[in-house]
Amino acid sequence: MIIGLTGGIASGKSTVARLFGELGVRWVDADDIAREVVAPGEPALKAIVDRYGDTILNREGRLDRSALRDIVFANEKERRWLEVTTHPRIRERLTTRLALLQQQDSPYVLLVSPLLFESGQADMVQRKLVVDVAEGVQMERAMARDKIDADQAKAILGSQMPREKRLSLADDVLVNEGDLSALVDAVKALDGRYRAMAGS
């Protein structure tokens, strides 16, 4: 069984995935795959450089993700182009990684993806788990974590699926506004349910 784990920016997806991992659950992170497909030598990076020029690269010849973020979050057309360029490549690798994980000793596997619904990856999973926090909390966490200003955080939030829509598509919701011990307990409870489902 594959569980899709998603949530808006700075909702705590990575922390939740790590907590599931501590319970013996394996996962693949779409963000990690997204970095892979734009690594040096990859066709997607060449396409990005062809479109925006060498200034989109850092001194090591790698993609300057913050420069690209400034472009795509300020321009809907460019964001769509980037999605068309990268999403099929990301999906192909996700499919391969998930198949490998399903052959290993894990009661079920997680597909961790911030764009689970927007990218069409929801059809790769049997159940959808949304990590949810209030938008004000998201803004504060994103600004602190990514060293961005309020306008950039708002733009990123605005580019993502609205919170209400995301929640309406969820099979399960994990509210991440308490302390870590509350989150640990919530993950353990979900893990018990998912193991029972996977077993049946």
Side-chain angles (χ1 to χ4, degrees):
M1 185 167 76
I2 302 172
I3 309 290
L5 171 60
T6 191
I9 184 175
S11 57
K13 295 179 295 296
S14 298
T15 301
V16 170
R18 180 175 53 76
L19 293 174
F20 273 107
E22 289 172 5
L23 298 172
V25 179
R26 298 181 185 275
W27 81 87
V28 60
D29 191 323
D31 270 352
D32 293 341
I33 304 296
R35 288 185 185 90
E36 281 182 22
V37 301
V38 294
E42 291 286 344
L45 182 62
K46 182 181 184 308
I48 291 168
V49 172
D50 287 348
R51 189 169 183 91
Y52 303 121
D54 289 342
T55 56
I56 205 71
L57 300 176
N58 63 22
R59 269 179 261 169
E60 290 82 42
R62 295 185 168 275
L63 181 64
D64 183 337
R65 293 172 68 84
S66 63
L68 182 63
R69 184 169 57 203
D70 290 345
I71 294 169
V72 299
F73 285 119
N75 187 315
E76 176 76 10
K77 181 181 159 204
E78 295 307 314
R79 186 165 65 84
R80 293 285 179 214
W81 176 86
L82 183 65
E83 289 171 355
V84 168
T85 303
T86 58
H87 284 187
R89 293 178 167 100
I90 293 167
R91 187 185 180 95
E92 183 181 347
R93 292 193 192 194
L94 284 174
T95 302
T96 302
R97 300 287 166 82
L98 286 167
L100 286 171
L101 288 183
Q102 286 176 305
Q103 294 167 20
Q104 297 177 27
D105 183 25
S106 183
Y108 54 92
V109 297
L110 297 177
L111 165 53
V112 183
S113 175
L115 300 175
L116 186 76
F117 300 121
E118 296 93 325
S119 65
Q121 292 166 4
D123 65 8
M124 302 172 71
V125 307
Q126 282 76 55
R127 200 156 183 90
K128 298 166 283 290
L129 169 61
V130 169
V131 183
D132 184 54
V133 293
E135 289 186 355
V137 177
Q138 280 182 277
M139 289 270 295
E140 288 172 18
R141 289 181 184 172
M143 288 163 66
R145 183 192 70 187
D146 298 335
K147 308 290 187 286
I148 56 178
D149 62 27
D151 288 340
Q152 287 176 302
K154 262 186 208 162
I156 294 170
L157 264 176
S159 74
Q160 296 186 331
M161 179 175 284
R163 181 184 180 198
E164 298 76 20
K165 177 79 183 292
R166 189 185 301 117
L167 289 170
S168 74
L169 296 171
D171 295 305
D172 304 296
V173 176
L174 191 57
V175 178
N176 183 22
E177 292 181 359
D179 60 17
L180 184 59
S181 64
L183 190 62
V184 168
D185 289 344
V187 168
K188 282 180 179 172
L190 277 170
D191 176 63
R193 285 181 56 206
Y194 293 155
R195 284 173 190 265
M197 288 178 187
S200 63

